[in-house]
Amino acid sequence: MQPISRKVYIMIIPKQIKPVRQIYAVDLFCGAGGLTHGLVKAGIDVRLGVDIDQACEYPYVANNNARFLLKSVEELEASELERYYGKNGIKLLAGCAPCQTFSAYNRKARYADEKDKRWFLPLEFARLVNEISPELVVMENVPGLAGQDVFAKFIQTLQDNGYNVAYQVVACQEYGIPQNRRRLVLLASKLGMIRLLTPDEFGAEKKNVADVLRTLPPLCAGEKSKDDPLHQCSMLSPLNLQRIRASKPGGSWRDWPQELVADCHKRDSGKNFTNVYGRMKWDEPAPTMTTNFLGFGNGRFGHPEQDRAISLREGAIIQSFPLDYQFVKPNEPVRQQTIARLIGNAVPVKLGEVIGRSIVVHVNDIHSAGEVNEKRQNQKYRGQEQLLLFPMEKSKGRFQF
C-alpha cells in the first residue's frame, strides 16, 4: 500500500498588513525600545514608553515616535496612561518586567526572594490592566517566569477580567533572530481567541552570525569604528589576548595550552563551565545576548575570527535592532557598560514585530468575523421581512404567494 501524501498549504501573512482599526499602545518597562520598535514596524501606534532607567530615554525617543515617562510602574496611576490612548481605537498595554529575578542565569531565581521588589512587578502590571481595562495585553519575559506563582496570579487576573489568554515559550532563532534565545510570550484579548503567528506564517528565514555580522568593518580589541561610534569593543588584557588567539570557533578554554587555563577551571568545581571564554561560529546563531556580552570571559562572546569580543553594534544587530538605531546622542561619549545593559535587556526587535503582526492579524480576523456575522444577520432579517410582507397561503394543496 502506498502512503497517502497530502500537501500542506501555509498562509504567509503579508509584512505590510495594516490594522482595520487603529491600535494604540503603551509600553511598560520599555527599555531602549526593542518591543516598541517591533510593534511600530507591525503597524501599531505606540504612544508612550515607561521606564525607571534614565539611560533609556534617548534611544527610546530618538528611534520611535513616542513619548517617554521616567517613573516606576509601582507609582503609576491609570489616569497617567489613559490620556495617551487615542479615541475610537483599540487599547494595548504591553510590558516586559525586569527579568533578572526569574532568569536561569541568576541562581537566586530558584528561590522566592521577597526582598527583591522586581519579584512583584508583574502584579503591578496586572493592577494597571485591571484599572485601564485595555482590549489587548502583551507580556514578554524569561521562560522561568512561567513556573512562578506571580505568573499564575497574573493570568488569573486577566481571566477574571474577561481576557482570552495564550502564552508559549518562543525559540527566537525560529523567527529569524540570529541568536539562541528563548522567551516567554503572553498575549491576551477581550476581543476573542488570540495566538502568536507561527514562524512559517510570519515568513521567517533563519539567520546565523555570518548573515548579520560578516560585512561589518574589522576591529582590534579596544578599537572603535570611525563611521559608527557604537561599533566599538572592549580592551583585552595581554593574557586574554593570548587566550582568544588560542580559541576555536565553537570551542572552549579546553582547547588552550594548560598555562592559559584559569585556576578556577582547573578545579573540579569549574571543569564543567565551558561556555565562557568562547568564540561564536559563523554558521550558527549567536548565544543569548546578556548585559555582559562585551566581555570575552563572560560567555561565548568572542568574534568568530577577529581577536576580540563582539562590539556594541554587533550585539545590537544580534538583538535585531536596525543598523542605524541610535543609543547615544551625537558627539556624546559612549558608556560601554550602560549601552551593553540596554542592549542585553532589550526585547529583540523582530520578536516585537512577530508579536505586533500577531495582534494586527487577530484584530483584523475579529473584524472580518464580525462583518460576516452582521451580513448573515442582515440576510436573515431581510428573509424574515420578506415572509412578513408576502405571507404564504396554503391553497389547493400547494403554497402560493
Side-chain angles (χ1 to χ4, degrees), residues 32-91:
L35 177 58
T36 286
H37 207 66
L39 294 176
V40 170
K41 285 170 69 79
I44 293 172
D45 186 358
V46 183
R47 295 292 188 86
L48 178 71
V50 182
D51 207 287
I52 198 172
D53 187 352
Q54 180 72 65
C56 300
E57 182 171 6
Y58 177 76
Y60 188 84
V61 174
N63 298 280
N64 303 287
N65 186 26
R67 297 285 189 89
F68 178 85
L69 177 62
L70 182 68
K71 196 166 189 177
S72 170
V73 170
E74 297 172 275
E75 300 171 358
L76 271 179
E77 299 292 336
S79 59
E80 295 179 88
L81 306 182
E82 286 177 325
R83 65 192 186 93
Y84 286 95
Y85 288 112
K87 295 181 179 179
N88 303 319
I90 295 173
K91 298 178 184 177

Side-chain angles (χ1 to χ4, degrees), residues 205-272:
E205 297 179 6
K206 291 185 180 180
K207 293 183 178 180
N208 54 37
V209 173
D211 294 326
V212 296
L213 298 189
R214 193 183 281 279
T215 60
L216 268 69
L219 295 174
C220 294
E223 188 181 7
K224 66 178 179 180
S225 169
K226 296 178 181 179
D227 299 322
D228 181 2
L230 213 69
H231 188 36
Q232 60 173 268
C233 56
S234 58
M235 291 286 294
L236 289 178
S237 67
L239 178 57
N240 278 341
L241 191 57
Q242 291 181 26
R243 285 169 169 169
I244 198 168
R245 285 171 176 167
S247 298
K248 302 175 183 177
S252 73
W253 51 262
R254 289 178 176 174
D255 302 321
W256 300 345
Q258 192 64 18
E259 64 269 19
L260 296 181
V261 178
D263 290 339
C264 63
H265 293 142
K266 294 177 181 178
R267 294 191 289 267
D268 289 342
S269 58
K271 288 182 177 180
N272 293 326

Side-chain angles (χ1 to χ4, degrees), residues 105-123:
Y105 291 96
N106 184 357
R107 294 183 180 182
K108 292 182 181 179
R110 300 174 187 174
Y111 310 98
D113 184 2
E114 296 187 0
K115 295 180 181 179
D116 189 343
K117 290 185 177 180
R118 294 175 300 181
W119 192 266
F120 299 100
L121 286 177
L123 297 184

